[in-house]
Coordinates of all heavy atoms in Angstrom, one line a residue:
M1 N -0.7 -117.0 139.2 CA -1.1 -118.1 138.4 C 0.2 -118.7 137.7 O 1.0 -118.0 137.3 CB -2.1 -117.6 137.3 CG -2.5 -118.7 136.3 SD -3.7 -118.2 135.1 CE -3.7 -119.6 134.0
E2 N 0.2 -120.0 137.6 CA 1.3 -120.6 136.9 C 0.8 -120.9 135.5 O -0.3 -121.3 135.2 CB 1.6 -122.0 137.6 CG 2.3 -121.8 138.9 CD 2.7 -123.2 139.4 OE1 3.1 -124.0 138.6 OE2 2.7 -123.3 140.7
Y3 N 1.7 -120.6 134.5 CA 1.4 -120.8 133.1 C 2.1 -122.1 132.7 O 3.3 -122.3 132.8 CB 1.9 -119.7 132.3 CG 1.2 -118.4 132.7 CD1 1.8 -117.5 133.6 CD2 -0.1 -118.0 132.2 CE1 1.2 -116.3 134.0 CE2 -0.7 -116.9 132.6 CZ -0.1 -116.0 133.5 OH -0.7 -114.9 133.9
N4 N 1.3 -123.0 132.2 CA 1.8 -124.3 131.9 C 2.7 -124.2 130.6 O 2.6 -123.3 129.9 CB 0.7 -125.4 131.7 CG -0.2 -125.1 130.5 OD1 0.2 -124.6 129.5 ND2 -1.5 -125.5 130.7
P5 N 3.5 -125.2 130.4 CA 4.4 -125.2 129.2 C 3.7 -125.1 127.9 O 4.2 -124.4 127.0 CB 5.1 -126.6 129.3 CG 5.0 -127.0 130.7 CD 3.7 -126.4 131.2
Q6 N 2.5 -125.6 127.8 CA 1.7 -125.5 126.5 C 1.5 -124.0 126.2 O 1.6 -123.6 125.1 CB 0.4 -126.2 126.7 CG -0.5 -126.1 125.4 CD -1.9 -126.7 125.7 OE1 -2.3 -126.9 126.8 NE2 -2.6 -126.9 124.6
V7 N 1.1 -123.2 127.2 CA 0.8 -121.8 127.0 C 2.1 -121.0 126.6 O 2.1 -120.2 125.7 CB 0.1 -121.2 128.2 CG1 0.0 -119.7 128.1 CG2 -1.3 -121.8 128.4
R8 N 3.1 -121.3 127.3 CA 4.4 -120.7 127.0 C 4.9 -121.0 125.6 O 5.4 -120.2 124.9 CB 5.5 -121.0 128.1 CG 5.2 -120.4 129.4 CD 6.3 -120.5 130.4 NE 6.8 -121.9 130.6 CZ 6.3 -122.7 131.6 NH1 5.4 -122.2 132.4 NH2 6.8 -123.9 131.7
N9 N 4.7 -122.3 125.2 CA 5.1 -122.7 123.9 C 4.3 -122.0 122.8 O 4.8 -121.6 121.8 CB 5.0 -124.2 123.7 CG 6.1 -124.9 124.5 OD1 7.2 -124.4 124.8 ND2 5.9 -126.2 124.8
R10 N 3.0 -121.8 123.1 CA 2.2 -121.1 122.1 C 2.7 -119.7 121.9 O 2.7 -119.2 120.8 CB 0.7 -121.1 122.6 CG 0.0 -122.3 122.4 CD -1.4 -122.2 123.0 NE -2.2 -123.4 122.9 CZ -3.4 -123.4 122.3 NH1 -4.0 -122.3 121.9 NH2 -4.1 -124.5 122.2
M11 N 3.0 -119.0 123.0 CA 3.5 -117.7 123.0 C 4.8 -117.6 122.2 O 5.1 -116.6 121.5 CB 3.6 -117.0 124.4 CG 2.2 -116.8 125.0 SD 1.1 -115.8 124.0 CE 2.0 -114.3 123.8
K12 N 5.7 -118.5 122.4 CA 7.0 -118.6 121.7 C 6.7 -118.7 120.2 O 7.4 -118.1 119.4 CB 7.9 -119.7 122.3 CG 8.4 -119.4 123.6 CD 9.2 -120.5 124.2 CE 9.7 -120.2 125.6 NZ 10.5 -121.3 126.2
R13 N 5.8 -119.6 119.9 CA 5.4 -119.8 118.5 C 4.9 -118.5 117.8 O 5.3 -118.1 116.7 CB 4.4 -120.9 118.3 CG 4.3 -121.5 116.9 CD 3.4 -122.7 116.9 NE 3.6 -123.7 117.9 CZ 2.7 -124.1 118.8 NH1 1.5 -123.6 118.8 NH2 3.0 -125.0 119.7
I14 N 4.1 -117.8 118.6 CA 3.5 -116.5 118.1 C 4.6 -115.5 118.0 O 4.6 -114.8 117.0 CB 2.4 -116.0 119.1 CG1 1.2 -116.9 119.1 CG2 2.0 -114.6 118.8 CD1 0.2 -116.8 120.2
E15 N 5.6 -115.5 118.9 CA 6.7 -114.6 118.8 C 7.5 -114.8 117.5 O 7.8 -113.9 116.8 CB 7.6 -114.8 120.0 CG 8.9 -113.9 120.0 CD 9.8 -114.2 121.2 OE1 9.7 -115.4 121.7 OE2 10.6 -113.4 121.5
G16 N 7.7 -116.1 117.1 CA 8.3 -116.4 115.9 C 7.5 -116.0 114.7 O 8.1 -115.5 113.7
Q17 N 6.2 -116.1 114.8 CA 5.3 -115.7 113.7 C 5.5 -114.1 113.5 O 5.6 -113.7 112.3 CB 3.9 -116.0 113.9 CG 3.5 -117.5 113.8 CD 2.1 -117.7 114.1 OE1 1.7 -117.6 115.2 NE2 1.3 -118.1 113.1
V18 N 5.5 -113.4 114.6 CA 5.6 -112.0 114.5 C 7.0 -111.6 113.9 O 7.1 -110.7 113.0 CB 5.4 -111.3 115.9 CG1 5.8 -109.8 115.8 CG2 4.0 -111.5 116.4
R19 N 8.0 -112.3 114.3 CA 9.4 -112.0 113.7 C 9.3 -112.3 112.2 O 9.9 -111.5 111.4 CB 10.4 -112.8 114.3 CG 11.0 -112.2 115.6 CD 12.3 -112.9 116.0 NE 12.0 -113.4 117.4 CZ 12.0 -114.7 117.7 NH1 12.2 -115.6 116.8 NH2 11.7 -115.0 119.0
G20 N 8.6 -113.3 111.8 CA 8.5 -113.6 110.4 C 7.7 -112.5 109.6 O 8.1 -112.2 108.5
I21 N 6.7 -112.0 110.2 CA 6.0 -110.9 109.6 C 6.9 -109.7 109.4 O 6.9 -109.0 108.3 CB 4.7 -110.5 110.4 CG1 3.7 -111.7 110.4 CG2 4.1 -109.2 109.9 CD1 2.6 -111.5 111.4
V22 N 7.6 -109.3 110.4 CA 8.6 -108.2 110.3 C 9.5 -108.4 109.1 O 9.8 -107.5 108.3 CB 9.3 -107.9 111.6 CG1 10.4 -106.9 111.4 CG2 8.3 -107.5 112.7
R23 N 10.0 -109.7 109.1 CA 11.0 -110.0 108.0 C 10.3 -109.9 106.6 O 10.9 -109.3 105.7 CB 11.5 -111.4 108.2 CG 12.6 -111.8 107.2 CD 13.3 -113.1 107.6 NE 12.4 -114.2 108.1 CZ 12.3 -114.6 109.3 NH1 13.1 -114.1 110.3 NH2 11.5 -115.6 109.7
M24 N 9.0 -110.3 106.5 CA 8.3 -110.2 105.3 C 8.1 -108.7 104.9 O 8.3 -108.3 103.7 CB 6.9 -110.8 105.4 CG 6.8 -112.3 105.5 SD 5.2 -112.9 105.9 CE 4.4 -112.6 104.3
M25 N 7.9 -107.8 105.9 CA 7.7 -106.4 105.6 C 9.1 -105.8 105.1 O 9.1 -105.0 104.2 CB 7.3 -105.7 106.9 CG 5.9 -106.0 107.3 SD 5.5 -105.3 108.9 CE 3.8 -104.9 108.7
E26 N 10.1 -106.2 105.8 CA 11.5 -105.7 105.4 C 11.8 -106.2 104.0 O 12.5 -105.4 103.3 CB 12.5 -106.2 106.4 CG 12.4 -105.6 107.8 CD 13.3 -106.2 108.8 OE1 13.8 -107.3 108.6 OE2 13.3 -105.6 109.9
E27 N 11.3 -107.3 103.6 CA 11.6 -107.8 102.2 C 10.6 -107.3 101.2 O 10.7 -107.6 100.0 CB 11.6 -109.4 102.3 CG 12.7 -110.0 103.1 CD 12.5 -111.5 103.3 OE1 11.5 -112.1 102.8 OE2 13.4 -112.1 103.9
G28 N 9.7 -106.5 101.7 CA 8.7 -105.9 100.7 C 7.7 -106.9 100.2 O 7.2 -106.7 99.0
K29 N 7.4 -107.9 100.9 CA 6.4 -108.9 100.5 C 5.0 -108.3 100.2 O 4.7 -107.2 100.7 CB 6.3 -110.1 101.5 CG 7.5 -110.8 101.7 CD 7.9 -111.7 100.5 CE 9.2 -112.5 100.8 NZ 9.6 -113.3 99.7
D30 N 4.2 -109.0 99.5 CA 2.9 -108.5 99.1 C 2.0 -108.3 100.4 O 2.1 -109.1 101.3 CB 2.2 -109.6 98.2 CG 0.9 -109.1 97.7 OD1 0.8 -108.1 97.0 OD2 -0.2 -109.8 98.0
C31 N 1.3 -107.2 100.3 CA 0.4 -106.8 101.4 C -0.6 -107.9 101.8 O -0.8 -108.2 103.0 CB -0.4 -105.5 101.0 SG -1.7 -105.0 102.2
K32 N -1.1 -108.6 100.9 CA -2.1 -109.7 101.2 C -1.4 -110.8 102.0 O -2.0 -111.3 103.0 CB -2.6 -110.2 99.9 CG -3.6 -111.4 100.0 CD -4.1 -111.9 98.7 CE -5.0 -113.1 98.9 NZ -5.3 -113.7 97.6
D33 N -0.2 -111.1 101.7 CA 0.5 -112.1 102.4 C 0.8 -111.7 103.9 O 0.7 -112.5 104.8 CB 1.8 -112.5 101.7 CG 1.6 -113.2 100.4 OD1 0.5 -113.8 100.2 OD2 2.4 -113.1 99.5
V34 N 1.2 -110.4 104.0 CA 1.5 -109.9 105.3 C 0.3 -109.9 106.2 O 0.3 -110.3 107.3 CB 2.2 -108.5 105.2 CG1 2.3 -107.8 106.6 CG2 3.5 -108.6 104.5
V35 N -0.8 -109.4 105.6 CA -2.1 -109.3 106.4 C -2.6 -110.7 106.7 O -3.1 -110.9 107.8 CB -3.1 -108.5 105.6 CG1 -4.5 -108.6 106.2 CG2 -2.7 -107.1 105.5
T36 N -2.4 -111.7 105.9 CA -2.8 -113.0 106.1 C -2.1 -113.6 107.4 O -2.6 -114.2 108.3 CB -2.6 -114.0 104.9 OG1 -3.3 -113.5 103.8 CG2 -2.9 -115.4 105.2
Q37 N -0.8 -113.3 107.4 CA 0.0 -113.7 108.6 C -0.3 -113.0 109.8 O -0.4 -113.6 110.9 CB 1.5 -113.6 108.3 CG 2.0 -114.6 107.2 CD 1.7 -116.0 107.6 OE1 2.0 -116.4 108.7 NE2 1.1 -116.7 106.7
M38 N -0.6 -111.7 109.7 CA -1.1 -110.9 110.9 C -2.4 -111.5 111.4 O -2.6 -111.6 112.6 CB -1.2 -109.5 110.5 CG 0.1 -108.8 110.2 SD -0.2 -107.1 109.5 CE 0.2 -106.2 110.9
S39 N -3.3 -111.9 110.5 CA -4.5 -112.5 110.9 C -4.3 -113.8 111.7 O -5.0 -114.1 112.7 CB -5.4 -112.7 109.7 OG -6.6 -113.3 110.1
A40 N -3.3 -114.6 111.2 CA -3.0 -115.8 111.9 C -2.5 -115.6 113.3 O -2.8 -116.3 114.2 CB -2.0 -116.6 111.0
V41 N -1.7 -114.5 113.4 CA -1.1 -114.2 114.8 C -2.3 -113.8 115.7 O -2.3 -114.2 116.8 CB -0.1 -113.1 114.7 CG1 0.3 -112.5 116.0 CG2 1.2 -113.7 114.0
R42 N -3.2 -113.0 115.2 CA -4.3 -112.5 116.0 C -5.1 -113.7 116.4 O -5.5 -113.8 117.6 CB -5.2 -111.5 115.2 CG -6.3 -111.0 116.0 CD -7.1 -109.9 115.3 NE -7.5 -110.3 114.0 CZ -8.0 -109.5 113.1 NH1 -8.1 -108.2 113.4 NH2 -8.4 -109.9 111.9
T43 N -5.4 -114.6 115.6 CA -6.2 -115.8 115.9 C -5.4 -116.6 117.0 O -6.1 -117.1 118.0 CB -6.4 -116.7 114.7 OG1 -7.2 -115.9 113.7 CG2 -7.2 -117.9 115.0
A44 N -4.1 -116.8 116.8 CA -3.4 -117.5 117.8 C -3.4 -116.8 119.2 O -3.5 -117.5 120.2 CB -1.9 -117.7 117.3
I45 N -3.3 -115.5 119.2 CA -3.3 -114.8 120.4 C -4.7 -114.9 121.1 O -4.8 -115.2 122.3 CB -3.0 -113.3 120.2 CG1 -1.6 -113.0 119.9 CG2 -3.5 -112.4 121.4 CD1 -0.6 -113.0 121.0
D46 N -5.8 -114.8 120.3 CA -7.1 -114.9 120.8 C -7.3 -116.3 121.5 O -7.9 -116.4 122.6 CB -8.2 -114.7 119.7 CG -8.3 -113.3 119.3 OD1 -7.8 -112.4 120.0 OD2 -8.9 -113.1 118.2
R47 N -6.9 -117.3 120.8 CA -7.0 -118.7 121.3 C -6.2 -118.9 122.6 O -6.7 -119.5 123.6 CB -6.7 -119.7 120.3 CG -7.7 -119.8 119.2 CD -7.3 -120.9 118.2 NE -8.4 -120.9 117.2 CZ -8.3 -121.6 116.1 NH1 -7.2 -122.4 115.9 NH2 -9.3 -121.6 115.2
T48 N -5.0 -118.4 122.6 CA -4.1 -118.5 123.8 C -4.7 -117.7 125.0 O -4.7 -118.2 126.1 CB -2.7 -118.0 123.5 OG1 -2.2 -118.8 122.4 CG2 -1.8 -118.2 124.7
M49 N -5.3 -116.5 124.7 CA -5.9 -115.7 125.7 C -7.1 -116.5 126.3 O -7.3 -116.5 127.5 CB -6.3 -114.4 125.1 CG -6.8 -113.4 126.2 SD -7.1 -111.7 125.6 CE -6.8 -111.7 123.8
G50 N -7.9 -117.1 125.5 CA -9.0 -117.9 125.9 C -8.6 -119.0 126.8 O -9.2 -119.3 127.9
L51 N -7.5 -119.6 126.5 CA -6.9 -120.7 127.3 C -6.5 -120.2 128.7 O -6.8 -120.8 129.7 CB -5.8 -121.4 126.5 CG -5.1 -122.6 127.2 CD1 -6.1 -123.7 127.4 CD2 -3.9 -123.1 126.4
V52 N -5.8 -119.1 128.7 CA -5.3 -118.5 129.9 C -6.5 -118.1 130.8 O -6.5 -118.4 132.0 CB -4.4 -117.3 129.7 CG1 -4.1 -116.5 130.9 CG2 -3.1 -117.8 129.0
V53 N -7.5 -117.4 130.2 CA -8.6 -117.0 131.0 C -9.4 -118.2 131.6 O -9.8 -118.3 132.7 CB -9.5 -116.1 130.2 CG1 -10.9 -115.8 130.9 CG2 -8.8 -114.8 129.9
S54 N -9.6 -119.2 130.7 CA -10.4 -120.4 131.2 C -9.6 -121.2 132.2 O -10.2 -121.6 133.2 CB -10.8 -121.3 130.0 OG -9.6 -121.9 129.4
S55 N -8.3 -121.3 132.1 CA -7.6 -122.0 133.1 C -7.6 -121.3 134.4 O -7.8 -121.9 135.5 CB -6.1 -122.1 132.7 OG -6.0 -122.9 131.5
N56 N -7.5 -120.0 134.4 CA -7.5 -119.1 135.6 C -8.9 -119.2 136.2 O -9.1 -119.3 137.4 CB -7.1 -117.7 135.2 CG -6.9 -116.8 136.5 OD1 -6.4 -117.3 137.5 ND2 -7.4 -115.6 136.4
L57 N -9.9 -119.2 135.3 CA -11.3 -119.2 135.8 C -11.6 -120.5 136.6 O -12.1 -120.5 137.7 CB -12.3 -119.1 134.7 CG -13.8 -119.1 135.0 CD1 -14.2 -118.0 136.0 CD2 -14.6 -119.1 133.8
V58 N -11.2 -121.6 136.0 CA -11.4 -122.9 136.7 C -10.7 -122.9 138.1 O -11.3 -123.2 139.1 CB -10.9 -124.1 135.8 CG1 -10.8 -125.4 136.6 CG2 -11.7 -124.2 134.6
D59 N -9.5 -122.4 138.1 CA -8.8 -122.4 139.4 C -9.4 -121.5 140.4 O -9.6 -121.8 141.5 CB -7.3 -121.9 139.1 CG -6.5 -121.9 140.4 OD1 -6.4 -122.9 141.1 OD2 -5.9 -120.8 140.7
C60 N -9.8 -120.3 139.9 CA -10.5 -119.3 140.8 C -11.8 -119.8 141.4 O -12.1 -119.7 142.5 CB -10.7 -118.0 140.1 SG -9.2 -117.1 139.9
V61 N -12.6 -120.4 140.5 CA -13.9 -120.9 140.9 C -13.8 -122.1 141.9 O -14.5 -122.1 142.9 CB -14.8 -121.3 139.7 CG1 -16.0 -122.1 140.1 CG2 -15.2 -120.1 138.9
L62 N -12.8 -123.0 141.6 CA -12.6 -124.1 142.5 C -12.2 -123.7 143.9 O -12.5 -124.4 144.8 CB -11.6 -125.1 141.8 CG -12.1 -125.9 140.6 CD1 -11.0 -126.7 140.1 CD2 -13.3 -126.7 141.0
H63 N -11.4 -122.6 143.9 CA -10.8 -122.2 145.2 C -11.5 -121.0 145.8 O -11.0 -120.5 146.8 CB -9.3 -122.0 145.0 CG -8.6 -123.2 144.5 ND1 -8.5 -124.3 145.3 CD2 -8.0 -123.5 143.3 CE1 -7.8 -125.3 144.6 NE2 -7.6 -124.8 143.4
A64 N -12.5 -120.5 145.2 CA -13.2 -119.2 145.7 C -13.7 -119.4 147.1 O -13.5 -118.5 148.0 CB -14.3 -118.8 144.8
E65 N -14.4 -120.5 147.4 CA -15.0 -120.6 148.7 C -13.9 -120.9 149.8 O -14.1 -120.6 150.9 CB -16.0 -121.7 148.7 CG -17.2 -121.4 147.8 CD -18.3 -122.4 147.8 OE1 -18.1 -123.5 148.4 OE2 -19.4 -122.2 147.3
E66 N -12.8 -121.4 149.3 CA -11.7 -121.6 150.3 C -11.1 -120.3 150.8 O -10.5 -120.3 151.8 CB -10.6 -122.5 149.7 CG -11.0 -123.9 149.3 CD -10.0 -124.7 148.5 OE1 -8.9 -124.2 148.4 OE2 -10.3 -125.8 148.0
R67 N -11.2 -119.3 149.9 CA -10.6 -118.0 150.3 C -11.7 -117.1 150.8 O -12.4 -116.4 150.1 CB -10.0 -117.4 149.0 CG -8.8 -118.1 148.5 CD -8.2 -117.3 147.3 NE -9.1 -117.2 146.2 CZ -9.0 -117.9 145.1 NH1 -8.1 -118.8 145.0 NH2 -9.9 -117.7 144.2
D68 N -11.9 -117.1 152.1 CA -12.9 -116.2 152.8 C -14.3 -116.3 152.2 O -15.0 -115.3 152.2 CB -12.4 -114.8 152.7 CG -11.0 -114.6 153.4 OD1 -10.7 -115.3 154.4 OD2 -10.2 -113.8 152.8
G69 N -14.7 -117.4 151.7 CA -16.0 -117.6 151.2 C -16.4 -116.7 150.0 O -17.5 -116.3 149.9
E70 N -15.4 -116.4 149.2 CA -15.7 -115.5 148.0 C -16.7 -116.1 147.1 O -16.8 -117.3 147.0 CB -14.4 -115.2 147.3 CG -13.4 -114.5 148.1 CD -12.0 -114.3 147.4 OE1 -12.1 -114.1 146.2 OE2 -11.0 -114.3 148.1
D71 N -17.4 -115.3 146.4 CA -18.4 -115.7 145.5 C -17.8 -116.1 144.1 O -17.3 -115.2 143.4 CB -19.5 -114.6 145.3 CG -20.6 -114.9 144.4 OD1 -20.8 -116.1 144.1 OD2 -21.4 -114.0 144.0
P72 N -18.0 -117.3 143.7 CA -17.4 -117.7 142.4 C -18.0 -117.0 141.2 O -17.4 -116.8 140.2 CB -17.7 -119.2 142.3 CG -18.2 -119.6 143.6 CD -18.6 -118.4 144.4
K73 N -19.2 -116.5 141.4 CA -19.9 -115.8 140.2 C -19.1 -114.5 139.9 O -19.1 -114.2 138.7 CB -21.3 -115.4 140.6 CG -22.3 -116.6 140.7 CD -23.6 -116.1 141.1 CE -24.6 -117.3 141.4 NZ -25.9 -116.9 141.8
A74 N -18.5 -113.9 140.8 CA -17.7 -112.7 140.5 C -16.5 -113.0 139.6 O -16.2 -112.2 138.7 CB -17.2 -112.0 141.8
Y75 N -15.9 -114.2 139.8 CA -14.8 -114.6 139.0 C -15.3 -114.9 137.6 O -14.6 -114.6 136.6 CB -14.1 -115.8 139.6 CG -13.3 -115.4 140.8 CD1 -13.8 -115.8 142.1 CD2 -12.1 -114.7 140.7 CE1 -13.1 -115.5 143.2 CE2 -11.4 -114.4 141.9 CZ -11.9 -114.8 143.1 OH -11.2 -114.4 144.2
I76 N -16.4 -115.5 137.5 CA -17.0 -115.8 136.2 C -17.3 -114.5 135.4 O -16.9 -114.4 134.2 CB -18.2 -116.7 136.3 CG1 -17.8 -118.1 136.9 CG2 -18.9 -116.9 135.0 CD1 -19.0 -118.9 137.3
E77 N -17.9 -113.6 136.0 CA -18.2 -112.3 135.4 C -16.9 -111.6 135.0 O -16.8 -111.0 133.9 CB -19.0 -111.4 136.3 CG -20.4 -111.9 136.5 CD -21.2 -111.0 137.5 OE1 -20.7 -109.9 137.8 OE2 -22.2 -111.5 138.0
E78 N -15.9 -111.6 135.8 CA -14.6 -111.0 135.5 C -14.0 -111.6 134.3 O -13.5 -110.9 133.4 CB -13.7 -111.0 136.7 CG -12.4 -110.3 136.5 CD -11.5 -110.3 137.7 OE1 -11.9 -110.9 138.7 OE2 -10.4 -109.8 137.6
A79 N -14.0 -112.9 134.2 CA -13.4 -113.7 133.1 C -14.2 -113.3 131.8 O -13.5 -113.1 130.7 CB -13.5 -115.2 133.3
V80 N -15.5 -113.3 131.9 CA -16.3 -112.9 130.7 C -16.0 -111.5 130.2 O -15.8 -111.3 129.0 CB -17.8 -113.1 130.9 CG1 -18.6 -112.5 129.8 CG2 -18.1 -114.6 131.1
N81 N -15.8 -110.6 131.2 CA -15.5 -109.2 130.8 C -14.1 -109.1 130.2 O -13.9 -108.4 129.2 CB -15.6 -108.3 132.1 CG -17.0 -108.1 132.5 OD1 -17.9 -108.1 131.7 ND2 -17.2 -107.8 133.8
L82 N -13.2 -109.9 130.7 CA -11.8 -109.9 130.1 C -11.9 -110.4 128.6 O -11.2 -109.8 127.7 CB -10.9 -110.8 130.8 CG -10.3 -110.3 132.1 CD1 -9.5 -111.4 132.9 CD2 -9.4 -109.1 131.8
L83 N -12.6 -111.4 128.4 CA -12.7 -111.9 127.0 C -13.5 -110.9 126.1 O -13.1 -110.7 124.9 CB -13.4 -113.3 127.0 CG -12.6 -114.4 127.6 CD1 -13.4 -115.7 127.6 CD2 -11.4 -114.6 126.7
V84 N -14.5 -110.3 126.6 CA -15.3 -109.3 125.8 C -14.4 -108.1 125.5 O -14.4 -107.6 124.4 CB -16.6 -108.9 126.5 CG1 -17.3 -107.7 125.9 CG2 -17.5 -110.1 126.6
K85 N -13.7 -107.6 126.5 CA -12.8 -106.4 126.2 C -11.7 -106.7 125.2 O -11.3 -105.8 124.6 CB -12.2 -106.0 127.6 CG -13.1 -105.3 128.5 CD -12.4 -104.9 129.7 CE -13.4 -104.3 130.7 NZ -12.7 -103.9 132.0
S86 N -11.3 -108.0 125.2 CA -10.2 -108.3 124.3 C -10.6 -108.2 122.8 O -9.8 -108.2 121.9 CB -9.7 -109.7 124.6 OG -10.6 -110.7 124.2
R87 N -11.9 -108.2 122.5 CA -12.3 -108.2 121.1 C -12.8 -106.8 120.8 O -13.1 -106.0 120.6 CB -13.5 -109.2 120.9 CG -13.0 -110.6 121.0 CD -11.9 -111.0 120.1 NE -12.2 -110.9 118.7 CZ -11.4 -110.9 117.8 NH1 -10.1 -110.9 118.0 NH2 -11.7 -110.8 116.5

C-alpha cells in the first residue's frame, strides 16, 4: 500500500507531539498536562489508523474481484477486526 503525504505528515506531527511529551516529563511538568497531551496523541493515532484502514479497505474492495475473484466481504471483515483490536 502506498501511504499518501497526508498520512505521513500526520505521523510526523504525532512524532513531534511525543517528543514534546518526553520533554514535559523531563522538565517535571504537571501530571494532568502530560496526560492531556498523551490523550491528544492517542486520539491522533486512532484517527490516522482509521484513515489508513479505510484507504486500504477501499483499495482492496475495489480490486478484490480483479485478483482471482476474491470476496470483498473478507476484506471488510478484516478491516473491522483491525479497528476493533486497536481499541
Side-chain angles (χ1 to χ4, degrees):
M1 176 176 170
E2 289 187 34
Y3 299 95
N4 66 35
Q6 178 188 16
V7 171
R8 289 192 303 269
N9 287 339
R10 284 177 179 233
M11 290 306 300
K12 288 176 184 179
R13 196 174 314 120
I14 292 166
E15 179 183 24
Q17 286 178 293
V18 171
R19 275 194 239 112
I21 292 168
V22 171
R23 189 170 38 252
M24 290 174 72
M25 292 172 145
E26 291 170 349
E27 294 172 357
K29 298 291 183 182
D30 186 61
C31 172
K32 180 180 173 185
D33 296 333
V34 171
V35 171
T36 298
Q37 290 305 310
M38 293 170 105
S39 178
V41 167
R42 180 174 53 193
T43 299
I45 289 280
D46 287 344
R47 289 182 179 175
T48 305
M49 191 173 1
L51 182 62
V52 168
V53 170
S54 66
S55 296
N56 189 38
L57 177 63
V58 169
D59 182 55
C60 287
V61 169
L62 289 176
H63 301 291
E65 292 182 356
E66 295 172 10
R67 293 184 299 258
D68 302 323
E70 296 177 36
D71 182 14
K73 291 180 185 178
Y75 289 104
I76 294 170
E77 289 177 16
E78 184 178 358
V80 169
N81 286 335
L82 281 172
L83 289 174
V84 168
K85 285 181 186 178
S86 72
R87 290 308 295 162

